[in-house]
Amino acid sequence: MTIPRRRALQAFAGYAAHYNADDPKVKLKIDHTYRVAALCARIAQSLALPGDDVDLAWLCGLLHDVGRFEQLRQYGTFNDARSIDHAAMSARVLFEEGRIRDYLDDDSADPLLRTAVLYHSAYRLPTDLDARTLTFCNILRDADKIDILRVNVETPMEQIYNVSTRELRQSPVSPAVLQAFYEHHCVLRDLKCYPADNAVGHASLVFELCYPESLRAVAEQGWLWKLLDFATDNPDTAAAFADIRAEMHRWLDQQMG
């Protein structure tokens, strides 16, 4: 199956153009989308997938967050807990509203694409996925996690999470969030009570990466360490982040040999 990349790019740009590109949050998601698509292709190439499958992985990345624009328009936030499941909204826009046909005419990959989009931000994937679908889901999830680290450094957390600088700098870290981090798995959304929990939660995404190429991308980009260099006026939070940085260095060194 051949993926028409130029057509897909035009379709995405056309869809995003319906939203206010002067809004930093809109631009944030446009830029994030292009980077995730490129990371999907990079990871797929590292797995020696055929060229058409590399393009399919790239398309998963291009499509994964189309629901973010409606989420922002309707609710004014990217916080799923305070609005809607953005992955479900992305699947709805593409496959219930039929916008997937703006990207490609061939519908043979629709089930795989819908599954990858729908579950890209899920805490865990369904256990009954076939091997091929599972691979594309994992590629997309890895690419999204990698770029989330960058987003949370380049974009002020105050802007992403609708909190004040004072709230951010005085924030504690929830004990349940720390426990999840030290158990080396991602943090459930419901466990996050304070602004600083978001930084710990996003750093913990690294523990869930599936592919060596994903870890190499994290190591070379350096966004993880900038994220964990968390500015705080709370002494307990400062101590917590010092310990978190040490544990992440230890874990990554072990994983990468």
Side-chain angles (χ1 to χ4, degrees), residues 8 28 31 56 59-60 62 64 105 109 126 133-134 137 142 144 146 153 160 190 199 225 256:
L28 166 71
D31 293 345
L56 185 58
L59 184 61
C60 288
L62 190 71
H64 82 287
D105 295 322
T133 301
L134 179 62
C137 285
D142 271 23
D144 192 35
I146 294 165
V153 172
I160 300 174
D190 292 347
W225 307 117
M256 301 186 71

Side-chain angles (χ1 to χ4, degrees), residues 64-79:
H64 82 287
D65 260 359
V66 294
R68 284 295 200 187
F69 300 101
E70 271 302 294
Q71 179 187 39
L72 181 63
R73 186 186 70 81
Q74 293 182 29
Y75 298 95
T77 181
F78 290 139
N79 187 322

Side-chain angles (χ1 to χ4, degrees), residues 89-217:
M89 174 62 84
S90 296
R92 188 177 310 132
V93 167
L94 291 166
F95 298 99
E96 294 182 20
E97 297 179 11
R99 291 189 177 272
I100 186 63
R101 296 283 77 84
D102 297 339
Y103 295 82
L104 73 172
D105 295 322
D106 189 337
D107 64 359
S108 61
D110 281 10
L112 183 152
L113 287 166
R114 184 181 185 281
T115 300
V117 168
L118 183 61
Y119 292 111
H120 79 266
S121 63
Y123 183 67
R124 290 287 179 263
L125 289 170
T127 58
D128 60 349
L129 298 180
D130 63 86
R132 177 172 169 79
T133 301
L134 179 62
T135 295
F136 283 89
C137 285
N138 282 333
I139 289 171
L140 174 56
R141 286 161 66 87
D142 271 23
D144 192 35
K145 288 178 175 72
I146 294 165
D147 199 65
I148 283 172
L149 300 175
R150 176 174 182 161
V151 167
N152 278 268
V153 172
E154 286 194 326
T155 307
M157 284 192 178
E158 295 94 330
Q159 179 178 311
I160 300 174
Y161 300 110
N162 297 330
V163 297
S164 69
T165 300
R166 181 176 181 276
E167 289 174 312
L168 196 63
R169 294 188 68 94
Q170 294 186 352
S171 170
V173 181
S174 301
V177 168
L178 286 174
Q179 180 179 342
F181 178 87
Y182 284 105
E183 290 174 354
H184 298 164
H185 59 74
C186 65
V187 177
L188 278 168
R189 188 180 299 128
D190 292 347
L191 297 179
K192 298 175 184 176
C193 300
Y194 304 109
D197 291 341
N198 291 299
V200 181
H202 285 116
S204 73
L205 296 176
V206 174
F207 297 132
E208 305 278 342
L209 295 175
C210 297
Y211 301 112
E213 190 66 21
S214 303
L215 290 174
R216 282 192 286 271

